[in-house]
Amino acid sequence: MWRWAEEMDFIMLTAFTEEQNKGHRVSGSWLPVAYANVVPALRSAGLSDVMKHHVKNRMKTTKGKFAEVYDLFNSLSCFAWNHMTKKFEEEDEVWEEFIRVSYMQFGVM
């Protein structure tokens, strides 16, 4: 039995990026061939027993986590999503204040 690791996410997302570049994402949805092509990429990285349903489930988890973070930062007017860099961007001082306030409110970060 294996556990999904951060490096596996990177491999999966890289493979999905390649699938998108091949046109295997239509109207925001992945074509079945995209999932079928991602499985061998993960298998070649050592996940010999990974299957299509594992990839689909992980993608749902990843989308959910991204949506939570996106909603959090998008609701804060000082942060902006940069579609080119795929990052939330703001001045260092704003990040520092966000981290300080988050720690005080939630004991996190």
Side-chain angles (χ1 to χ4, degrees):
M1 186 59 145
W2 45 267
R3 292 181 47 86
W4 206 276
E6 190 174 317
E7 66 187 45
M8 295 157 55
D9 281 335
F10 180 77
I11 294 165
M12 180 186 75
L13 294 173
T14 300
F16 271 117
T17 300
E18 292 173 10
E19 292 305 306
Q20 181 169 327
N21 292 341
K22 294 177 188 174
H24 294 162
R25 188 166 192 220
V26 178
S27 301
S29 296
W30 295 105
L31 298 177
V33 68
Y35 288 102
N37 290 341
V38 169
V39 170
L42 289 163
R43 286 183 178 166
S44 69
L47 296 172
S48 58
D49 58 345
V50 73
M51 297 175 66
K52 186 176 173 179
H53 72 272
H54 294 122
V55 174
K56 283 186 150 189
N57 288 337
R58 188 59 180 186
M59 195 59 160
K60 286 180 191 176
T61 300
T62 302
K63 281 181 173 180
K65 288 180 181 180
F66 176 80
E68 288 177 24
V69 172
Y70 184 85
D71 289 345
L72 170 67
F73 283 104
N74 203 38
S75 67
L76 302 171
S77 61
C78 55
F79 291 94
W81 178 254
N82 183 323
H83 290 280
M84 297 298 288
T85 63
K86 307 290 188 226
K87 294 179 183 179
F88 288 98
E89 295 182 346
E90 190 46 70
E91 300 295 322
D92 289 344
E93 297 81 28
V94 175
W95 277 110
E96 290 166 7
E97 179 66 10
F98 175 74
I99 291 168
R100 187 185 67 74
V101 169
S102 296
Y103 183 77
M104 289 173 45
Q105 286 181 340
F106 307 107
V108 297
M109 297 188 135

